[in-house]
Amino acid sequence: MKLIGPFKQIVTLANLPLRGKISDDQIDIISNGGILMDNGLINNVGDFKTLKNNNPDAETVIIEGDQIALPGFVDSHTHICFGGNRANDFAMRNAGKTYLEIAESGGGIWSSVQHTRNASEEELLKTLLERIHFLISLGITTIEIKSGYGLDVENELKMLRIIKKAQSLTPSKLVPTCLSAHLKPRDFEGSNQEYLDYILTEILPKVKEENLAERVDIFIEKSAFQPEESKAFLLKTKDLGFDITVHADQFTPGSSRIAVEVGAKSADHLEATIDEDIEFLAKSDTVATALPGASLGLGEKFTPARKLLDAGAIVAIASDWNPGSAPMGNLITQASILATFEKLTTAEVLAGMTFRAAYALSLENIGKLEPGKKADFVTFKTDNFQNVLYNQGSLNAENVYIDGNLIH
Protein backbone atom coordinates (compact mmCIF):
# COMPACT_ATOMS: atom_id res chain seq x y z
CA MET A 1 0.00 0.00 0.00
CA LYS A 2 1.20 3.51 -0.80
CA LEU A 3 -0.30 6.80 0.38
CA ILE A 4 0.40 10.07 -1.44
CA GLY A 5 -0.51 13.48 -0.04
CA PRO A 6 -1.55 15.81 1.35
CA PHE A 7 -2.89 17.60 -1.72
CA LYS A 8 -4.45 21.02 -1.42
CA GLN A 9 -7.25 19.72 -3.61
CA ILE A 10 -8.10 16.35 -5.13
CA VAL A 11 -10.68 16.52 -7.92
CA THR A 12 -11.87 12.93 -8.26
CA LEU A 13 -14.66 13.50 -10.85
CA ALA A 14 -16.19 10.42 -9.23
CA ASN A 15 -19.73 11.78 -9.01
CA LEU A 16 -20.06 13.29 -12.48
CA PRO A 17 -22.43 11.86 -15.13
CA LEU A 18 -21.36 10.17 -18.35
CA ARG A 19 -23.60 12.25 -20.61
CA GLY A 20 -24.94 15.77 -20.88
CA LYS A 21 -24.11 19.12 -19.36
CA ILE A 22 -22.37 19.48 -16.00
CA SER A 23 -22.25 22.52 -13.74
CA ASP A 24 -19.09 23.31 -11.82
CA ASP A 25 -20.89 23.03 -8.50
CA GLN A 26 -21.28 19.32 -9.20
CA ILE A 27 -17.53 18.86 -8.72
CA ASP A 28 -16.61 17.40 -5.33
CA ILE A 29 -13.26 18.64 -4.04
CA ILE A 30 -11.34 16.83 -1.31
CA SER A 31 -9.23 19.35 0.61
CA ASN A 32 -5.98 18.21 2.23
CA GLY A 33 -6.57 14.85 0.62
CA GLY A 34 -4.59 11.71 0.03
CA ILE A 35 -4.65 8.89 -2.52
CA LEU A 36 -4.17 5.39 -1.14
CA MET A 37 -2.99 2.84 -3.71
CA ASP A 38 -2.44 -0.89 -3.83
CA ASN A 39 -0.91 -2.81 -6.74
CA GLY A 40 -1.46 0.02 -9.20
CA LEU A 41 -5.10 0.54 -8.28
CA ILE A 42 -6.77 3.17 -6.13
CA ASN A 43 -7.77 1.75 -2.76
CA ASN A 44 -9.24 4.93 -1.31
CA VAL A 45 -9.31 8.70 -1.72
CA GLY A 46 -10.06 10.97 1.21
CA ASP A 47 -8.70 13.08 4.04
CA PHE A 48 -4.93 12.53 4.20
CA LYS A 49 -4.64 12.39 7.99
CA THR A 50 -7.51 9.93 8.28
CA LEU A 51 -6.05 7.66 5.60
CA LYS A 52 -2.64 7.80 7.29
CA ASN A 53 -4.08 6.95 10.71
CA ASN A 54 -6.16 4.09 9.31
CA ASN A 55 -3.25 2.66 7.29
CA PRO A 56 -0.15 3.02 9.51
CA ASP A 57 1.85 0.44 7.52
CA ALA A 58 1.36 2.15 4.15
CA GLU A 59 4.41 3.66 2.48
CA THR A 60 3.88 7.42 2.61
CA VAL A 61 4.94 9.94 -0.01
CA ILE A 62 4.66 13.47 1.36
CA ILE A 63 3.68 16.26 -1.05
CA GLU A 64 5.46 19.50 -0.20
CA GLY A 65 3.75 22.82 -0.90
CA ASP A 66 0.43 23.41 -2.63
CA GLN A 67 -0.45 20.85 -5.28
CA ILE A 68 -3.71 19.61 -6.74
CA ALA A 69 -4.45 16.17 -8.22
CA LEU A 70 -6.65 15.26 -11.17
CA PRO A 71 -7.29 11.99 -13.01
CA GLY A 72 -4.78 11.35 -15.79
CA PHE A 73 -5.96 12.89 -19.05
CA VAL A 74 -7.02 10.76 -22.03
CA ASP A 75 -6.28 11.81 -25.62
CA SER A 76 -8.74 9.65 -27.54
CA HIS A 77 -7.85 10.73 -31.11
CA THR A 78 -4.30 11.20 -32.41
CA HIS A 79 -2.23 10.49 -35.53
CA ILE A 80 1.19 10.76 -33.88
CA CYS A 81 2.89 7.91 -35.77
CA PHE A 82 4.03 9.68 -38.92
CA GLY A 83 7.05 10.73 -40.92
CA GLY A 84 7.91 14.11 -42.36
CA ASN A 85 6.53 17.57 -41.86
CA ARG A 86 3.79 19.67 -43.48
CA ALA A 87 4.77 23.17 -42.38
CA ASN A 88 4.46 24.26 -46.00
CA ASP A 89 0.79 23.17 -45.99
CA PHE A 90 0.16 25.46 -43.01
CA ALA A 91 1.89 28.39 -44.69
CA MET A 92 0.04 27.84 -47.99
CA ARG A 93 -3.31 27.51 -46.23
CA ASN A 94 -2.75 30.76 -44.35
CA ALA A 95 -1.78 32.41 -47.63
CA GLY A 96 -5.19 31.52 -49.06
CA LYS A 97 -4.53 28.29 -50.94
CA THR A 98 -7.36 25.75 -51.04
CA TYR A 99 -7.16 22.13 -49.89
CA LEU A 100 -7.11 20.99 -53.54
CA GLU A 101 -4.39 23.46 -54.50
CA ILE A 102 -2.23 22.30 -51.59
CA ALA A 103 -2.75 18.65 -52.53
CA GLU A 104 -1.92 19.32 -56.19
CA SER A 105 1.32 21.03 -55.17
CA GLY A 106 2.47 17.93 -53.31
CA GLY A 107 0.98 18.56 -49.87
CA GLY A 108 -1.96 17.06 -47.99
CA ILE A 109 -2.41 13.58 -46.56
CA TRP A 110 -0.65 11.96 -49.51
CA SER A 111 2.49 13.89 -48.62
CA SER A 112 2.44 12.35 -45.13
CA VAL A 113 1.84 8.92 -46.65
CA GLN A 114 4.96 9.23 -48.78
CA HIS A 115 7.08 10.50 -45.88
CA THR A 116 5.83 7.72 -43.60
CA ARG A 117 6.40 5.01 -46.17
CA ASN A 118 9.94 6.26 -46.76
CA ALA A 119 10.80 6.59 -43.07
CA SER A 120 12.67 3.73 -41.40
CA GLU A 121 11.08 1.82 -38.54
CA GLU A 122 13.76 3.18 -36.23
CA GLU A 123 12.98 6.77 -37.23
CA LEU A 124 9.21 6.31 -36.84
CA LEU A 125 9.62 4.68 -33.44
CA LYS A 126 11.97 7.41 -32.23
CA THR A 127 9.67 10.28 -33.21
CA LEU A 128 6.60 8.42 -31.91
CA LEU A 129 8.19 7.97 -28.49
CA GLU A 130 9.19 11.65 -28.44
CA ARG A 131 5.57 12.66 -29.06
CA ILE A 132 4.31 10.21 -26.43
CA HIS A 133 6.78 11.69 -23.94
CA PHE A 134 5.48 15.19 -24.70
CA LEU A 135 1.88 14.07 -24.10
CA ILE A 136 2.86 12.42 -20.83
CA SER A 137 4.48 15.70 -19.75
CA LEU A 138 1.06 17.34 -20.16
CA GLY A 139 -0.52 14.79 -17.84
CA ILE A 140 -1.93 12.55 -20.57
CA THR A 141 -1.69 8.94 -19.43
CA THR A 142 -3.77 7.20 -22.12
CA ILE A 143 -3.24 7.87 -25.84
CA GLU A 144 -5.13 6.59 -28.89
CA ILE A 145 -2.88 6.33 -31.97
CA LYS A 146 -4.05 5.72 -35.54
CA SER A 147 -2.38 4.23 -38.56
CA GLY A 148 -3.52 5.72 -41.86
CA TYR A 149 -0.30 7.05 -43.38
CA GLY A 150 0.67 3.70 -44.86
CA LEU A 151 -2.38 2.81 -46.97
CA ASP A 152 -1.11 -0.54 -48.15
CA VAL A 153 -0.56 -3.86 -46.40
CA GLU A 154 3.16 -3.44 -45.82
CA ASN A 155 3.07 0.09 -44.49
CA GLU A 156 -0.14 -0.07 -42.47
CA LEU A 157 1.25 -3.12 -40.68
CA LYS A 158 4.57 -1.31 -40.26
CA MET A 159 2.83 1.55 -38.48
CA LEU A 160 0.73 -0.68 -36.23
CA ARG A 161 3.74 -2.86 -35.32
CA ILE A 162 5.67 0.28 -34.35
CA ILE A 163 2.79 1.42 -32.14
CA LYS A 164 2.75 -2.02 -30.53
CA LYS A 165 6.50 -1.85 -29.95
CA ALA A 166 6.16 1.63 -28.45
CA GLN A 167 3.70 0.22 -25.92
CA SER A 168 6.50 -1.95 -24.52
CA LEU A 169 8.74 1.12 -24.19
CA THR A 170 6.41 3.55 -22.42
CA PRO A 171 4.33 3.29 -19.24
CA SER A 172 1.42 5.15 -20.83
CA LYS A 173 -1.54 3.17 -22.16
CA LEU A 174 -1.58 3.20 -25.98
CA VAL A 175 -4.75 2.35 -27.89
CA PRO A 176 -4.01 1.53 -31.56
CA THR A 177 -6.63 2.13 -34.26
CA CYS A 178 -6.42 0.95 -37.87
CA LEU A 179 -7.21 3.88 -40.17
CA SER A 180 -6.34 2.25 -43.48
CA ALA A 181 -9.55 3.90 -44.76
CA HIS A 182 -8.04 7.38 -44.44
CA LEU A 183 -8.28 7.91 -48.18
CA LYS A 184 -7.71 5.85 -51.31
CA PRO A 185 -3.97 6.03 -52.07
CA ARG A 186 -2.97 7.49 -55.41
CA ASP A 187 -1.04 4.38 -56.35
CA PHE A 188 -4.01 2.03 -55.85
CA GLU A 189 -5.41 0.97 -59.21
CA GLY A 190 -9.11 0.65 -58.57
CA SER A 191 -12.20 2.34 -57.17
CA ASN A 192 -12.93 3.42 -53.60
CA GLN A 193 -15.01 0.29 -53.17
CA GLU A 194 -12.20 -1.91 -54.41
CA TYR A 195 -9.80 -0.27 -51.96
CA LEU A 196 -12.21 -0.79 -49.05
CA ASP A 197 -12.52 -4.44 -50.09
CA TYR A 198 -8.71 -4.61 -50.14
CA ILE A 199 -8.62 -3.36 -46.55
CA LEU A 200 -11.21 -5.95 -45.52
CA THR A 201 -9.51 -8.89 -47.21
CA GLU A 202 -5.80 -8.04 -47.12
CA ILE A 203 -5.12 -5.70 -44.19
CA LEU A 204 -7.63 -6.34 -41.40
CA PRO A 205 -7.17 -10.14 -41.25
CA LYS A 206 -3.44 -9.59 -40.64
CA VAL A 207 -4.19 -6.87 -38.07
CA LYS A 208 -6.42 -9.34 -36.26
CA GLU A 209 -3.94 -12.21 -36.60
CA GLU A 210 -1.09 -10.17 -35.06
CA ASN A 211 -3.36 -8.51 -32.49
CA LEU A 212 -2.24 -5.08 -33.67
CA ALA A 213 -5.52 -3.22 -33.11
CA GLU A 214 -9.07 -3.80 -31.92
CA ARG A 215 -10.46 -0.65 -33.48
CA VAL A 216 -11.09 0.50 -37.07
CA ASP A 217 -11.66 4.06 -38.28
CA ILE A 218 -12.77 5.60 -41.59
CA PHE A 219 -12.80 9.15 -42.95
CA ILE A 220 -16.26 9.81 -44.41
CA GLU A 221 -16.05 12.94 -46.54
CA LYS A 222 -16.36 14.04 -50.17
CA SER A 223 -12.56 13.95 -50.53
CA ALA A 224 -12.27 10.49 -48.95
CA PHE A 225 -15.05 7.85 -48.72
CA GLN A 226 -18.73 8.28 -49.45
CA PRO A 227 -21.53 7.56 -46.95
CA GLU A 228 -23.08 4.37 -48.32
CA GLU A 229 -19.80 2.60 -49.12
CA SER A 230 -18.48 3.65 -45.70
CA LYS A 231 -21.53 2.29 -43.90
CA ALA A 232 -21.20 -1.08 -45.62
CA PHE A 233 -17.47 -1.16 -44.79
CA LEU A 234 -18.07 -0.38 -41.13
CA LEU A 235 -20.67 -3.10 -40.76
CA LYS A 236 -18.26 -5.61 -42.27
CA THR A 237 -15.48 -4.54 -39.88
CA LYS A 238 -17.88 -5.11 -36.99
CA ASP A 239 -18.52 -8.62 -38.34
CA LEU A 240 -14.75 -9.17 -38.21
CA GLY A 241 -14.85 -8.35 -34.49
CA PHE A 242 -13.51 -4.79 -34.47
CA ASP A 243 -14.84 -1.80 -32.55
CA ILE A 244 -15.39 1.14 -34.85
CA THR A 245 -14.99 4.89 -34.80
CA VAL A 246 -15.59 7.47 -37.52
CA HIS A 247 -14.07 10.72 -38.78
CA ALA A 248 -17.48 12.36 -39.18
CA ASP A 249 -19.00 15.69 -40.28
CA GLN A 250 -15.69 17.51 -40.60
CA PHE A 251 -16.62 19.57 -43.65
CA THR A 252 -20.06 18.25 -44.63
CA PRO A 253 -22.89 16.83 -42.48
CA GLY A 254 -24.47 13.39 -42.47
CA SER A 255 -21.77 10.92 -41.50
CA SER A 256 -22.32 11.30 -37.75
CA ARG A 257 -25.73 9.75 -38.33
CA ILE A 258 -24.02 6.79 -40.00
CA ALA A 259 -21.71 6.45 -36.99
CA VAL A 260 -24.72 6.14 -34.70
CA GLU A 261 -26.54 3.75 -37.02
CA VAL A 262 -23.63 1.30 -37.12
CA GLY A 263 -22.97 1.54 -33.37
CA ALA A 264 -19.64 3.36 -33.53
CA LYS A 265 -17.88 3.99 -30.23
CA SER A 266 -17.35 7.61 -31.27
CA ALA A 267 -17.95 10.12 -34.02
CA ASP A 268 -15.00 12.52 -34.16
CA HIS A 269 -14.74 16.08 -35.57
CA LEU A 270 -18.43 17.11 -36.02
CA GLU A 271 -17.61 20.70 -37.00
CA ALA A 272 -20.33 20.54 -39.68
CA THR A 273 -22.95 18.63 -37.67
CA ILE A 274 -26.49 20.00 -38.12
CA ASP A 275 -29.06 20.39 -35.35
CA GLU A 276 -31.14 17.33 -36.24
CA ASP A 277 -28.04 15.13 -36.16
CA ILE A 278 -27.01 16.64 -32.81
CA GLU A 279 -30.29 15.29 -31.43
CA PHE A 280 -29.65 11.93 -33.10
CA LEU A 281 -26.18 11.72 -31.52
CA ALA A 282 -27.47 12.79 -28.12
CA LYS A 283 -29.90 9.88 -27.96
CA SER A 284 -27.14 7.34 -28.66
CA ASP A 285 -24.17 5.88 -26.80
CA THR A 286 -21.80 7.08 -29.54
CA VAL A 287 -19.37 9.60 -28.06
CA ALA A 288 -19.24 12.97 -29.81
CA THR A 289 -15.54 13.85 -29.87
CA ALA A 290 -14.54 17.47 -30.42
CA LEU A 291 -11.15 18.08 -32.04
CA PRO A 292 -10.39 21.78 -31.47
CA GLY A 293 -6.83 21.37 -32.75
CA ALA A 294 -8.19 20.80 -36.25
CA SER A 295 -10.38 23.89 -36.02
CA LEU A 296 -7.37 25.95 -34.98
CA GLY A 297 -5.11 24.44 -37.63
CA LEU A 298 -7.58 24.88 -40.47
CA GLY A 299 -9.28 28.10 -39.37
CA GLU A 300 -12.65 26.30 -39.30
CA LYS A 301 -15.49 26.59 -36.81
CA PHE A 302 -15.44 24.52 -33.63
CA THR A 303 -17.47 21.42 -32.91
CA PRO A 304 -20.86 22.56 -31.47
CA ALA A 305 -19.97 21.14 -28.07
CA ARG A 306 -22.39 23.38 -26.17
CA LYS A 307 -25.37 22.23 -28.24
CA LEU A 308 -24.27 18.60 -27.97
CA LEU A 309 -23.99 18.76 -24.19
CA ASP A 310 -27.28 20.59 -23.78
CA ALA A 311 -28.94 17.90 -25.90
CA GLY A 312 -27.55 15.19 -23.60
CA ALA A 313 -24.69 13.81 -25.70
CA ILE A 314 -21.51 12.20 -24.36
CA VAL A 315 -18.86 14.75 -25.36
CA ALA A 316 -15.12 14.02 -25.33
CA ILE A 317 -12.29 16.37 -26.30
CA ALA A 318 -9.16 15.12 -28.10
CA SER A 319 -6.18 16.72 -29.84
CA ASP A 320 -6.25 15.16 -33.34
CA TRP A 321 -2.46 15.68 -33.28
CA ASN A 322 -1.35 15.11 -36.87
CA PRO A 323 1.22 16.62 -39.25
CA GLY A 324 -1.34 18.46 -41.36
CA SER A 325 -4.47 19.98 -39.85
CA ALA A 326 -3.61 19.76 -36.13
CA PRO A 327 0.14 20.02 -35.55
CA MET A 328 0.02 21.58 -32.06
CA GLY A 329 -0.59 18.46 -30.00
CA ASN A 330 -1.33 20.34 -26.77
CA LEU A 331 -4.69 18.99 -25.65
CA ILE A 332 -4.90 21.25 -22.58
CA THR A 333 -4.43 24.42 -24.62
CA GLN A 334 -6.92 23.28 -27.25
CA ALA A 335 -9.55 22.28 -24.68
CA SER A 336 -9.17 25.61 -22.87
CA ILE A 337 -9.73 27.51 -26.11
CA LEU A 338 -12.72 25.33 -27.03
CA ALA A 339 -14.19 26.10 -23.61
CA THR A 340 -13.88 29.84 -24.26
CA PHE A 341 -15.61 29.72 -27.65
CA GLU A 342 -18.24 27.12 -26.79
CA LYS A 343 -18.85 28.30 -23.19
CA LEU A 344 -18.05 24.99 -21.56
CA THR A 345 -17.83 24.63 -17.80
CA THR A 346 -14.60 23.48 -16.20
CA ALA A 347 -16.40 20.30 -15.17
CA GLU A 348 -17.44 19.59 -18.77
CA VAL A 349 -13.91 20.10 -20.08
CA LEU A 350 -12.32 17.90 -17.41
CA ALA A 351 -14.92 15.18 -18.02
CA GLY A 352 -14.28 15.42 -21.77
CA MET A 353 -10.56 14.80 -21.30
CA THR A 354 -10.92 12.00 -18.75
CA PHE A 355 -13.73 9.49 -18.21
CA ARG A 356 -15.83 10.52 -21.20
CA ALA A 357 -12.82 10.17 -23.52
CA ALA A 358 -12.01 6.85 -21.83
CA TYR A 359 -15.54 5.66 -22.60
CA ALA A 360 -14.93 6.36 -26.29
CA LEU A 361 -12.02 3.91 -26.07
CA SER A 362 -14.05 1.29 -24.15
CA LEU A 363 -11.86 1.88 -21.09
CA GLU A 364 -13.90 2.14 -17.92
CA ASN A 365 -11.09 1.53 -15.41
CA ILE A 366 -9.58 5.02 -15.85
CA GLY A 367 -10.70 8.64 -15.85
CA LYS A 368 -11.86 9.00 -12.25
CA LEU A 369 -10.08 8.84 -8.92
CA GLU A 370 -12.13 6.29 -7.03
CA PRO A 371 -11.59 2.83 -5.50
CA GLY A 372 -10.93 0.11 -8.07
CA LYS A 373 -9.79 2.43 -10.86
CA LYS A 374 -6.21 2.55 -12.13
CA ALA A 375 -3.99 4.90 -10.13
CA ASP A 376 -3.38 7.20 -13.10
CA PHE A 377 -3.29 10.84 -12.05
CA VAL A 378 -1.56 14.14 -12.65
CA THR A 379 -0.55 16.85 -10.19
CA PHE A 380 -0.08 20.58 -10.69
CA LYS A 381 1.76 23.02 -8.45
CA THR A 382 -1.16 25.30 -7.62
CA ASP A 383 -3.74 25.75 -4.87
CA ASN A 384 -6.73 25.87 -7.24
CA PHE A 385 -7.56 23.25 -9.89
CA GLN A 386 -9.26 25.93 -12.02
CA ASN A 387 -5.80 27.29 -12.82
CA VAL A 388 -5.11 24.31 -15.10
CA LEU A 389 -7.57 25.55 -17.75
CA TYR A 390 -7.24 29.21 -16.81
CA ASN A 391 -3.58 29.12 -17.82
CA GLN A 392 -4.52 27.50 -21.15
CA GLY A 393 -1.79 24.91 -21.12
CA SER A 394 1.04 27.05 -19.76
CA LEU A 395 0.77 25.59 -16.24
CA ASN A 396 3.01 22.56 -16.56
CA ALA A 397 2.19 19.24 -14.93
CA GLU A 398 4.29 18.77 -11.80
CA ASN A 399 4.10 14.96 -11.55
CA VAL A 400 2.44 12.21 -13.54
CA TYR A 401 1.60 8.83 -12.03
CA ILE A 402 0.65 5.74 -14.02
CA ASP A 403 -0.37 2.57 -12.18
CA GLY A 404 0.65 4.38 -9.00
CA ASN A 405 4.22 4.86 -10.21
CA LEU A 406 5.83 8.27 -10.65
CA ILE A 407 6.84 8.46 -14.32
CA HIS A 408 7.26 12.21 -14.83
Side-chain angles (χ1 to χ4, degrees):
M1 299 274 272
K2 180 188 291 185
L3 174 63
I4 300 179
F7 292 101
K8 186 74 173 181
Q9 296 176 329
I10 299 178
V11 183
T12 68
L13 307 183
N15 62 315
L16 299 184
L18 177 63
R19 62 176 63 245
K21 58 186 177 181
I22 315 172
S23 63
D24 284 346
D25 59 14
Q26 289 177 259
I27 298 177
D28 284 340
I29 300 170
I30 299 174
S31 300
N32 300 310
I35 301 173
L36 184 67
M37 304 172 295
D38 188 19
N39 291 321
L41 300 178
I42 295 173
N43 179 278
N44 205 349
V45 183
D47 178 74
F48 178 78
K49 288 183 179 179
T50 302
L51 290 173
K52 186 171 175 58
N53 290 336
N54 292 343
N55 301 275
D57 295 330
E59 175 190 351
T60 303
V61 177
I62 298 296
I63 297 298
E64 303 289 348
D66 290 341
Q67 290 191 41
I68 63 98
L70 290 163
F73 299 125
V74 177
D75 196 340
S76 61
H77 182 128
T78 83
H79 304 252
I80 59 173
C81 184
F82 63 85
N85 175 290
R86 279 161 60 190
N88 193 50
D89 284 24
F90 184 76
M92 292 177 69
R93 189 161 53 242
N94 290 347
K97 298 296 184 181
T98 67
Y99 181 90
L100 184 59
E101 287 171 333
I102 292 170
E104 287 177 345
S105 69
I109 292 173
W110 184 243
S111 170
S112 291
V113 171
Q114 291 174 301
H115 283 299
T116 304
R117 287 181 177 182
N118 291 332
S120 68
E121 293 184 14
E122 292 75 17
E123 179 185 351
L124 287 175
L125 179 62
K126 177 178 180 290
T127 54
L128 174 58
L129 289 171
E130 288 171 352
R131 293 172 191 131
I132 290 169
H133 180 74
F134 171 75
L135 292 176
I136 290 173
S137 76
L138 300 178
I140 296 166
T141 54
T142 299
I143 307 163
E144 187 264 11
I145 307 174
K146 302 179 190 296
S147 65
Y149 293 128
L151 305 188
D152 60 21
V153 173
E154 177 187 355
N155 289 289
E156 283 292 296
L157 293 179
K158 178 175 82 169
M159 290 186 70
L160 290 168
R161 287 168 184 154
I162 288 167
I163 296 168
K164 186 173 185 176
K165 186 170 184 179
Q167 179 62 91
S168 68
L169 300 172
T170 175
S172 57
K173 169 69 174 175
L174 307 183
V175 181
T177 300
C178 181
L179 179 58
S180 299
H182 203 175
L183 53 73
K184 181 173 74 73
R186 292 183 182 180
D187 57 0
F188 183 86
E189 296 181 358
S191 65
N192 272 8
Q193 185 58 61
E194 288 172 322
Y195 178 64
L196 292 175
D197 289 342
Y198 169 79
I199 295 171
L200 289 166
T201 58
E202 300 297 327
I203 298 178
L204 292 183
K206 293 180 175 64
V207 171
K208 179 70 74 173
E209 180 184 342
E210 295 187 36
N211 194 29
L212 296 175
E214 297 179 356
R215 293 160 43 86
V216 169
D217 195 351
I218 187 171
F219 184 22
I220 306 178
E221 194 51 71
K222 289 180 179 179
S223 61
F225 297 99
Q226 306 313 303
E228 288 309 310
E229 64 191 7
S230 299
K231 185 175 182 178
F233 170 79
L234 289 168
L235 290 172
K236 289 175 182 176
T237 62
K238 284 189 75 175
D239 289 341
L240 291 174
F242 291 96
D243 286 341
I244 54 177
T245 183
V246 178
H247 278 62
D249 295 0
Q250 184 173 9
F251 302 112
T252 54
S255 47
S256 60
R257 184 171 286 265
I258 291 174
V260 172
E261 289 171 347
V262 299
K265 294 293 182 180
S266 69
D268 302 5
H269 274 294
L270 309 176
E271 295 91 339
T273 303
I274 57 178
D275 287 350
E276 61 190 67
D277 288 346
I278 287 175
E279 296 295 330
F280 197 69
L281 267 169
K283 294 175 183 176
S284 77
D285 290 329
T286 297
V287 177
T289 303
L291 303 175
S295 299
L296 294 168
L298 296 174
E300 299 284 346
K301 62 184 179 180
F302 290 101
T303 303
R306 180 74 271 150
K307 285 185 175 182
L308 284 159
L309 287 163
D310 288 347
I314 309 168
V315 176
I317 305 170
S319 74
D320 193 24
W321 189 358
N322 71 70
S325 61
M328 180 200 297
N330 192 321
L331 174 61
I332 317 306
T333 296
Q334 295 171 17
S336 302
I337 294 170
L338 178 70
T340 300
F341 281 88
E342 283 294 308
K343 299 298 178 257
L344 307 182
T345 68
T346 297
E348 289 165 344
V349 175
L350 293 177
M353 296 190 296
T354 54
F355 65 91
R356 288 178 169 180
Y359 184 80
L361 301 178
S362 301
L363 298 174
E364 298 188 30
N365 64 337
I366 59 172
K368 295 185 176 185
L369 300 180
E370 59 185 3
K373 302 283 191 187
K374 282 185 62 181
D376 292 359
F377 58 97
V378 55
T379 77
F380 292 88
K381 190 175 282 188
T382 179
D383 62 357
N384 178 4
F385 76 95
Q386 293 173 317
N387 283 327
V388 175
L389 298 184
Y390 167 67
N391 284 279
Q392 298 180 319
S394 64
L395 181 64
N396 295 326
E398 182 68 14
N399 293 128
V400 180
Y401 292 83
I402 296 178
D403 294 326
N405 297 312
L406 178 63
I407 57 103
H408 174 80

